[in-house]
Amino acid sequence: MRRLTTMSVVIGAALLYWPSASSGQISALSTDCKAGGPRRGLGVYQFVATCAGRAPSPDGRLAIVQRAYRDRQPPIELQDANGRIVARLGNLSDDMPFTVMWSPDSHWVAVNHHVGSFMDELKIFEIVGRTIIERPRLTNAARQQAVQRFRCLSPSSVLPNAIRWSKDGHRLAMVTISSQDACSETAKRGDWRPLWMIGDVRTGRIDPASVRVDKADGPLREPRDPLYRGF
């Protein structure tokens, strides 16, 4: 079994039984620019509030850019290789840290966006020509998987997180998390657990053979069966 590390998932004390093993976790209150920057893996970049950052696509044609600021955050930008603004991503501009994960083919962007309480929510974007379009189909499908498995959860209480891309850039490994009181203030072991899964960003479909319940009582552990080892 392999423990989650670095850019994988920003979870923490807010989880009842599944704290993060991530040493690269960024607090919502952190403004330490040294904590941001590239992470292991091509196209992976950690943004920190108030700090300038640039996450270039693997093919070098585009980049997601945050300008340095003090009091008011300017919109996150999609820029071309010459620094021209292609689009603005206002829904990422809320003073929260976020991790960008470009697909290897540079056609998709997965963003683990901090939402507070040491938890992230996945947003998926497609690059179409010179535009960037949010595609919520796969995140909605991941939520539905968790709700179907654990009936006490509501879709709004399930937060999918991106883990890594497949080599072809079409599939994404994910894990779903929830706050400790997602089902009730007296939630107990077994009320819900994180779910691992693999989905296709083009269709929004989860591979049913990939769904795994994380049964570890400590840090999250990515499945290591052949399906995940070969991913």
Side-chain angles (χ1 to χ4, degrees), residues 157-226:
S157 70
V158 179
L159 301 177
N161 278 218
I163 302 303
R164 69 177 185 277
W165 287 97
S166 60
K167 293 179 181 179
D168 61 11
H170 297 159
R171 296 174 298 143
L172 191 62
M174 302 172 289
V175 65
T176 63
I177 62 174
S178 295
S179 67
Q180 63 179 13
D181 58 354
C183 291
S184 72
E185 293 183 357
T186 58
K188 60 183 182 299
R189 188 185 302 273
D191 282 353
W192 63 267
R193 284 183 177 273
L195 284 183
W196 294 89
M197 61 191 75
I198 295 171
D200 192 311
V201 291
R202 300 166 301 176
T203 65
R205 179 179 177 271
I206 302 294
D207 178 359
S210 72
V211 179
R212 305 280 189 276
V213 177
D214 193 304
K215 297 181 179 179
D217 291 332
L220 285 163
R221 292 178 180 269
E222 183 178 347
R224 294 301 295 159
D225 54 61

Side-chain angles (χ1 to χ4, degrees), residues 139-151:
T139 54
N140 289 340
R143 288 189 178 95
Q144 192 60 33
Q145 285 285 335
V147 170
Q148 288 176 349
R149 183 66 64 99
F150 304 107
R151 297 292 184 178

Side-chain angles (χ1 to χ4, degrees), residues 2-227:
R2 184 177 62 178
R3 292 177 179 266
L4 258 60
T5 55
T6 60
M7 57 81 182
S8 298
V9 183
V10 183
I11 313 171
L15 278 181
L16 187 57
Y17 300 117
W18 304 278
S20 173
S22 172
S23 60
Q25 178 176 309
I26 303 298
S27 166
L29 299 178
S30 174
T31 56
D32 180 6
C33 294
K34 293 181 180 180
R39 292 292 185 260
R40 287 192 302 177
L42 185 65
V44 179
Y45 193 98
Q46 173 70 58
F47 286 88
V48 177
T50 76
C51 304
R54 184 179 183 88
S57 60
D59 64 10
R61 294 188 308 110
L62 297 169
I64 292 178
V65 177
Q66 176 173 273
R67 300 180 186 274
Y69 66 97
R70 292 188 64 182
D71 299 321
R72 185 174 181 180
Q73 183 180 28
I76 306 301
E77 298 171 350
L78 181 69
Q79 296 183 359
D80 65 17
N82 296 314
R84 291 188 293 260
I85 299 172
V86 176
R88 291 182 172 88
L89 299 171
N91 58 353
L92 295 181
S93 306
D94 60 358
D95 286 322
M96 289 292 193
F98 59 97
T99 302
V100 166
M101 301 168 59
W102 282 92
S103 65
D105 62 7
S106 300
H107 292 160
W108 297 84
V109 185
V111 178
N112 285 335
H113 184 211
H114 198 70
V115 295
S117 299
F118 299 98
M119 302 182 75
D120 283 357
E121 182 175 24
L122 173 61
K123 295 182 182 294
I124 299 174
F125 300 90
E126 182 181 8
I127 304 298
V128 182
R130 288 179 61 83
T131 62
I132 184 168
I133 302 171
E134 186 171 0
R135 302 293 194 195
R137 292 172 298 184
L138 189 59
T139 54
N140 289 340
R143 288 189 178 95
Q144 192 60 33
Q145 285 285 335
V147 170
Q148 288 176 349
R149 183 66 64 99
F150 304 107
R151 297 292 184 178
C152 68
L153 293 174
S154 65
S156 62
S157 70
V158 179
L159 301 177
N161 278 218
I163 302 303
R164 69 177 185 277
W165 287 97
S166 60
K167 293 179 181 179
D168 61 11
H170 297 159
R171 296 174 298 143
L172 191 62
M174 302 172 289
V175 65
T176 63
I177 62 174
S178 295
S179 67
Q180 63 179 13
D181 58 354
C183 291
S184 72
E185 293 183 357
T186 58
K188 60 183 182 299
R189 188 185 302 273
D191 282 353
W192 63 267
R193 284 183 177 273
L195 284 183
W196 294 89
M197 61 191 75
I198 295 171
D200 192 311
V201 291
R202 300 166 301 176
T203 65
R205 179 179 177 271
I206 302 294
D207 178 359
S210 72
V211 179
R212 305 280 189 276
V213 177
D214 193 304
K215 297 181 179 179
D217 291 332
L220 285 163
R221 292 178 180 269
E222 183 178 347
R224 294 301 295 159
D225 54 61
L227 181 61

